[in-house]
Amino acid sequence: VPEELPPPEKGMLLEAAEHTMGRSSRRPCSGQWLHLAVLIMCAGSPFVQGQSTTAPAATAATAPLTTPAPPTNIPQSFACFNCLFQPDGVTPKVVRAMFFDSAAVVENPTAVAAAAAAGRDYSCDDIRLAVPECFIARNWDQGWVGELFATITNNLGANVVAMTRANFTAASSQIYKGASSYTRCVWEVNRGMVDICIGDFWETNERRGIAPFSSSFDLDTMRLLTMPVGGPGGGASSFEAKQLLDIFRPFATGVWGLMVAMFVFAGVAMYIVEAGSGNPDFEYEDELELPPLRYVMGFCKGFYLSTMGLLTAGPAFTATRWSGRFITLGFACFVYIAVASYAAKLVDFLVNSDSSPGRVSSMTDLVTKGQSICLLEAISDLVPEVPSSKRVGMDDYGPMVEKMYRNAGCAASLIGKTQYLSHIVGQKAVFDVCTDPRDPFQHTTCVDPSLTQETIDLGDPQSPDFQKYCDILLVEDSAFSLAIGISFPVAPDLLDYISSWVVSMRLDNSISKLRDKWVTSQYPPVCPVEYVPGLGLTIEQMAGTYTISAACMVLGLLVYFIQACMYMRKAGKDEDMAPLVPAEDEPKG
């Protein structure tokens, strides 16, 4: 502590210094913070400011205070133009972007042409095959995500440095041991080695815990795929006795049970309100001498008429009272919806399931049969209905579909909507896969480099794999749904800029136009896409029909009982209600 300081300031500094020295060995951070507090406390002292202590007090008191000028390059909106700078406010900010080469998503046709000209196989992700064009950012402006990112960074005026999976660092491999290169890129952002990952990245809970994500620019809905029972080219199977029950498949078991209950309820209700009214549907019961037998026959006749109503697609009852008309109205509503739903679903089953029976017909069927499902490792935890031992995590879509196609460990697979078009509908995908049976994973590359690894080209007519996935079936499962947001893993200092431009382009429909340009219009169907019908209509799907129909029938019963009570009160007698409610007069002439 300088000796020339005035006593008050000298005393405070000495006390703070003693406190810091006494505590720093036990709590190092507290010593640093106290040291900072001392500097702030004494910022106004002449000694700290470098002024002479002999200067007149008036000079120090009247010295003008200077306020730093605010930065002039702060944008009014983060969706701005030419506004992404280094701290100096002049130099464009360098953005290290790792591009994930994927058909229709992020493409580099310049590098493809350069590799062909050099007579080598193309791969920007393999350092042994990568050409210099792989590491030029402007070459990655193809594909719907590639063009989206190029538009955003051009607007921001950023200086983009291109990277690929060939630039993965050893640090990320030490942290992340999984198979997903996408998740590994998120870790690269976490470690500060990459500023943003470019591709159709899923925004999962695991990844959000590693690095920030921009606003979502799309929603990936997953499709459930399977193979025919007989494998590739299996086609229709031979007749089995259980196929005789296929006529009941359009409705789930619970729906059939409620349907029978509805028949009984409608029949009993009509008998209650119409018996004794001269209704020809129930007039013969009055000839029976035993009342219990008369009731049983009446209920059976009501059930018969309600069942005939469904089979003939219209109510078979004759209503002579308003209460009966309400019941008939409710039952007619039920018959109309039930018959239409059954006919549509029956055609679906008979036409499709007979020609292409799949290994599984739904996610529930897969679990019941104890089969395994192939899916990308990043979403393995998003299908908890499948036991973890039956989830086969894969590193990419190509090897995943190939594994299912070869029946090499999974009966079904989950695929995103873009890859469903490129791999299954349009069949233009090209990918590598380790097909050697000795490899434990059969991912894109073999664990042992000496094992066989091949390239599958679905779009080349000269390739033995040309359009070979035409036998793959799409499973329609109304009980299963999985949709995941797609966004950019991005460094915190870029988050607001990237997210703002994503939102802006999403609102003006620019992103939808990019997807139509690069995906939807690029993959016309090359072979008939067959699918496996899912489960029959469930109780939840038919709930509205049952509710409306039952409400009308209950209303009819209420009308009947109200009429009966009013008539009994008027007659002052306590007799059987049915004869007390007179039939409505029939028109004469």
Side-chain angles (χ1 to χ4, degrees):
V1 178
E3 294 293 337
E4 59 268 25
L5 281 180
E9 294 184 10
K10 181 176 180 180
M12 287 189 294
L13 283 175
L14 284 172
E15 183 180 355
E18 292 171 356
H19 184 79
T20 301
M21 294 298 294
R23 295 291 185 90
S24 60
S25 61
R26 286 182 288 126
R27 298 194 309 173
C29 291
S30 65
Q32 296 171 7
W33 283 108
L34 284 170
H35 179 64
L36 178 61
V38 170
L39 293 179
I40 295 174
M41 176 181 67
C42 299
S45 72
F47 178 82
V48 175
Q49 293 180 355
Q51 299 174 357
S52 172
T53 57
T54 60
T59 303
T62 59
L65 298 177
T66 59
T67 302
T72 59
N73 61 336
I74 297 178
Q76 297 298 319
S77 169
F78 287 103
C80 50
F81 293 89
N82 298 317
C83 56
L84 194 57
F85 298 102
Q86 300 282 20
D88 61 11
V90 177
T91 308
K93 184 175 180 61
V94 175
V95 176
R96 298 162 299 171
M98 181 171 284
F99 294 90
F100 276 62
D101 195 353
S102 178
V105 181
V106 182
E107 298 180 357
N108 188 337
T110 305
V112 174
R120 67 171 70 176
D121 294 334
Y122 166 73
S123 175
C124 282
D125 298 326
D126 188 340
I127 196 63
R128 298 166 298 178
L129 300 175
V131 294
E133 287 77 7
C134 291
F135 306 100
I136 299 176
R138 63 176 178 271
N139 294 341
W140 290 100
D141 62 351
Q142 305 293 293
W144 74 283
V145 177
E147 186 173 346
L148 168 64
F149 176 72
T151 302
I152 292 175
T153 51
N154 288 339
N155 290 342
L156 291 172
N159 180 15
V160 181
V161 175
M163 306 169 70
T164 70
R165 280 174 271 205
N167 298 109
F168 275 142
T169 63
S172 64
S173 66
Q174 295 298 321
I175 298 173
Y176 177 66
K177 302 295 185 181
S180 173
S181 59
Y182 285 72
T183 302
R184 186 174 176 183
C185 187
V186 180
W187 274 108
E188 294 284 359
V189 175
N190 171 277
R191 304 302 296 173
M193 301 301 179
V194 174
D195 294 318
I196 187 169
C197 303
I198 310 304
D200 47 356
F201 278 74
W202 290 327
E203 185 180 357
T204 64
N205 288 334
E206 176 195 5
R207 291 175 177 175
R208 280 196 66 89
I210 301 171
F213 274 73
S214 69
S215 296
S216 297
F217 51 84
D218 197 23
L219 193 65
D220 200 1
T221 51
M222 307 306 295
R223 271 78 168 164
L224 181 61
L225 304 178
T226 191
M227 289 294 295
V229 171
S237 61
S238 59
F239 176 79
E240 298 180 9
K242 65 179 182 181
Q243 291 178 290
L244 294 173
L245 302 178
D246 281 353
I247 60 172
F248 298 105
R249 291 181 61 194
F251 290 153
T253 304
V255 174
W256 283 114
L258 283 180
M259 188 173 293
V260 173
M262 185 67 76
F263 293 161
V264 174
F265 180 69
V268 171
M270 284 299 294
Y271 174 71
I272 290 175
V273 302
E274 293 291 339
S277 65
N279 189 324
D281 290 340
F282 301 101
E283 62 181 4
Y284 74 94
E285 280 80 9
D286 294 332
E287 299 175 1
L288 299 176
E289 297 182 356
L290 298 176
L293 184 59
R294 183 172 70 241
Y295 297 147
V296 171
M297 291 299 295
F299 294 156
C300 291
K301 182 66 177 295
F303 180 75
Y304 164 78
L305 292 174
S306 61
T307 304
M308 287 301 298
L310 179 68
L311 298 179
T312 57
F317 295 113
T318 300
T320 60
R321 293 171 172 165
W322 273 109
S323 53
R325 294 186 183 112
F326 278 119
I327 295 174
T328 304
L329 176 64
F331 188 70
C333 175
F334 165 75
V335 168
Y336 176 78
I337 299 298
V339 170
S341 302
Y342 178 83
K345 201 68 177 178
L346 181 63
V347 171
D348 188 19
F349 277 112
L350 295 181
V351 170
N352 294 291
S353 62
D354 283 350
S355 60
S356 302
R359 293 175 183 164
V360 298
S361 60
S362 65
M363 191 66 77
T364 302
D365 184 46
L366 180 138
V367 175
T368 302
K369 292 179 177 179
Q371 299 284 352
S372 297
I373 184 171
C374 283
L375 70 172
L376 296 195
E377 183 187 77
I379 60 171
S380 180
D381 293 337
L382 301 184
V383 285
E385 57 267 49
V386 180
S388 58
S389 60
K390 298 298 182 180
R391 300 180 221 148
V392 182
M394 303 296 293
D395 65 331
D396 209 346
Y397 282 116
M400 177 193 74
V401 176
E402 181 67 13
K403 192 178 184 72
M404 181 194 70
Y405 179 81
R406 296 177 181 227
N407 194 21
C410 50
S413 62
L414 283 180
I415 192 169
K417 63 180 183 181
T418 299
Q419 288 72 23
Y420 173 69
L421 293 176
S422 63
H423 288 66
I424 310 301
V425 176
Q427 304 237 6
K428 291 184 179 180
V430 181
F431 56 89
D432 293 331
V433 59
C434 179
T435 56
D436 196 301
R438 292 171 293 176
D439 187 85
F441 304 114
Q442 297 183 344
H443 288 174
T444 302
T445 58
C446 299
V447 176
D448 183 353
S450 65
L451 298 181
T452 304
Q453 178 179 318
E454 66 177 280
T455 299
I456 293 179
D457 190 342
L458 300 175
D460 184 4
Q462 306 302 320
S463 170
D465 301 309
F466 178 62
Q467 298 182 3
K468 72 175 185 178
Y469 290 159
C470 285
D471 291 324
I472 291 180
L473 307 175
L474 175 65
V475 179
E476 287 199 338
D477 185 0
S478 58
F480 173 76
S481 176
L482 179 59
I484 315 170
I486 297 178
S487 54
F488 295 120
V490 60
D493 58 335
L494 296 176
L495 180 60
D496 291 333
Y497 293 95
I498 300 298
S499 293
S500 296
W501 268 113
V502 165
V503 172
S504 177
M505 296 182 68
R506 190 176 62 206
L507 292 177
D508 66 12
N509 212 32
S510 296
I511 295 179
S512 296
K513 292 177 181 177
L514 288 176
R515 181 170 175 80
D516 291 340
K517 170 186 174 181
W518 287 102
V519 181
T520 308
S521 62
Q522 297 300 314
Y523 296 108
V526 297
C527 53
V529 178
E530 299 185 20
Y531 63 94
V532 179
L535 298 173
L537 294 177
T538 62
I539 294 178
E540 291 78 7
Q541 293 169 319
M542 297 290 290
T545 302
Y546 285 117
T547 302
I548 295 173
S549 302
C552 290
M553 294 183 189
V554 171
L555 178 61
L557 289 175
L558 289 176
V559 170
Y560 169 75
F561 286 116
I562 292 174
Q563 287 180 332
C565 290
M566 292 177 63
Y567 186 82
M568 286 194 317
R569 180 178 299 176
K570 182 177 179 181
K573 298 180 179 179
D574 187 14
E575 300 177 2
D576 183 26
M577 288 194 297
L580 294 178
V581 183
E584 298 178 5
D585 295 334
E586 297 183 2
K588 301 295 192 293

